[in-house]
Amino acid sequence: MDVEMTELICLERDGPIGILRFLQPGKRNPYSIAFVKELVTLLQEADQDDTIRAVIMTGGEHFSSGGDLVGFQSEVARGARATSEMVDKVHDGGRAAYLFRKPLISAVCGVAFGAGLSLALSADIVVAAEDARLCEVFVRVGGCPDTGSSWLLQQRAGAGVARMLVLTGREIDGRTAKDLRVVEECVSAEHVEARALEIAREIAPHPMFGVQTAKRVMRSSAECGYLDALDIERDAQSVLLCAHDFPEAMKAFSEKRKPEFKDR
């Protein structure tokens, strides 16, 4: 297994799967500016590596406790402008994860609070431990949702559930998160990473141009109305129909053989 190591995060390569492993579970992987910079760098590296076809994010015992409130104090003390610029830098992490072109899966154990939960929800698929602790903690400390939570949570669970979780600051476990459709799958803690790997390996054999286009279409359609979604699908599908892999799949079907995809 190849490993690209930084101080706070490492990028492992397990065959065609990249694993972004957060390296401070003992501190519950605080979502600091330094953490964000390393996350953005390694996501860019994974995106540019054609041998990586899907990526898992995991924090081991704990996914992330959220924003580094102690570390943020010096910027907050400088006033509103410095604070706004700091928050925008913090948002770079979620922005990079949300815009990541390849399939991204969060494997969540332990705590996923505030910005840590936002990061988990920015993935395409979330696998949570039954006893994971998820919380939109912002109101507990006098804040409001940031790092994309206000949008991501409503996209997954609906406006009513999102408002309930945000306004109460209620902590929920993985089972409840699955019931509320905050996460897609829920398994015992010892099986979370293995289940995320299974899903990644289920995705990896598919033609990557088609997979990346499908992800982009799904994300774009979630942000518009039905008629706009039809236009997005038409434009994307027209390209894929003229590429190599889709016609190859149709030809292979008619010839009763396995298709030979070339990711183009």
Side-chain angles (χ1 to χ4, degrees), residues 6-57:
T6 62
E7 183 178 351
L8 303 176
I9 309 173
C10 71
L11 174 60
E12 301 174 1
R13 292 168 175 80
D14 186 353
I17 312 304
I19 303 174
L20 282 171
R21 196 176 300 281
F22 310 154
L23 300 177
Q24 291 190 305
K27 296 181 179 180
R28 301 188 176 186
N29 296 308
Y31 199 89
S32 63
I33 296 294
F35 176 93
V36 167
K37 288 180 179 178
E38 292 188 13
L39 176 66
V40 171
T41 297
L42 291 176
L43 282 170
Q44 290 173 344
E45 182 176 327
D47 181 70
Q48 294 166 7
D49 187 340
D50 290 339
T51 67
I52 293 177
R53 303 177 71 82
V55 170
I56 294 168
M57 295 190 294

Side-chain angles (χ1 to χ4, degrees), residues 13-262:
R13 292 168 175 80
D14 186 353
I17 312 304
I19 303 174
L20 282 171
R21 196 176 300 281
F22 310 154
L23 300 177
Q24 291 190 305
K27 296 181 179 180
R28 301 188 176 186
N29 296 308
Y31 199 89
S32 63
I33 296 294
F35 176 93
V36 167
K37 288 180 179 178
E38 292 188 13
L39 176 66
V40 171
T41 297
L42 291 176
L43 282 170
Q44 290 173 344
E45 182 176 327
D47 181 70
Q48 294 166 7
D49 187 340
D50 290 339
T51 67
I52 293 177
R53 303 177 71 82
V55 170
I56 294 168
M57 295 190 294
T58 178
E61 185 179 351
H62 292 288
F63 191 79
S64 174
S65 58
D68 179 15
L69 298 184
V70 175
F72 294 162
Q73 287 181 12
S74 61
E75 292 300 309
V76 173
R78 294 175 56 203
R81 179 177 178 178
T83 301
S84 177
E85 292 174 349
M86 177 197 70
V87 172
D88 206 37
K89 290 178 182 176
V90 172
H91 283 180
D92 285 344
R95 189 179 292 115
Y98 183 78
L99 294 175
F100 187 63
R101 295 185 302 166
K102 299 175 182 179
L104 185 61
I105 303 169
S106 293
V108 179
C109 291
V111 300
F113 279 18
L117 178 55
S118 301
L119 179 60
L121 299 183
S122 68
D124 302 297
I125 301 165
V126 182
V127 180
E130 294 170 340
D131 60 354
R133 299 167 55 198
L134 286 65
C135 184
E136 293 286 346
V137 72
F138 302 101
V139 295
R140 294 190 184 186
V141 294
C144 71
D146 63 22
T147 52
S149 274
S150 62
W151 189 86
L152 293 165
L153 193 57
Q154 291 191 80
Q155 283 289 314
R156 288 177 175 273
V161 169
R163 284 194 296 267
M164 177 183 70
L165 294 177
V166 167
L167 297 178
T168 62
R170 182 184 303 171
E171 181 182 313
I172 58 175
D173 61 21
R175 297 183 189 88
T176 303
K178 174 67 163 55
D179 291 341
L180 295 175
R181 299 184 180 181
V182 176
V183 306
E184 281 68 54
E185 295 207 10
C186 179
V187 297
S188 60
E190 63 268 26
H191 295 135
V192 168
E193 187 170 327
R195 180 58 186 145
L197 278 167
E198 286 178 1
I199 296 171
R201 290 184 178 125
E202 187 177 356
I203 295 169
H206 300 321
M208 195 47 53
F209 185 30
V211 168
Q212 291 182 5
T213 303
K215 172 174 175 171
R216 176 172 54 81
V217 166
M218 293 296 291
R219 286 289 174 92
S220 298
S221 298
E223 301 170 14
C224 68
Y226 173 72
L227 296 179
D228 290 331
L230 291 178
D231 291 341
I232 290 170
E233 292 173 353
R234 177 203 61 218
D235 294 344
Q237 193 74 299
S238 298
V239 172
L240 291 176
L241 284 166
C242 297
H244 171 274
D245 290 338
F246 203 137
E248 164 63 9
M250 291 188 289
K251 183 178 180 182
F253 179 79
S254 65
E255 296 175 356
K256 298 182 179 180
R257 60 173 175 83
K258 186 175 181 179
E260 298 178 4
F261 295 130
K262 296 184 179 180

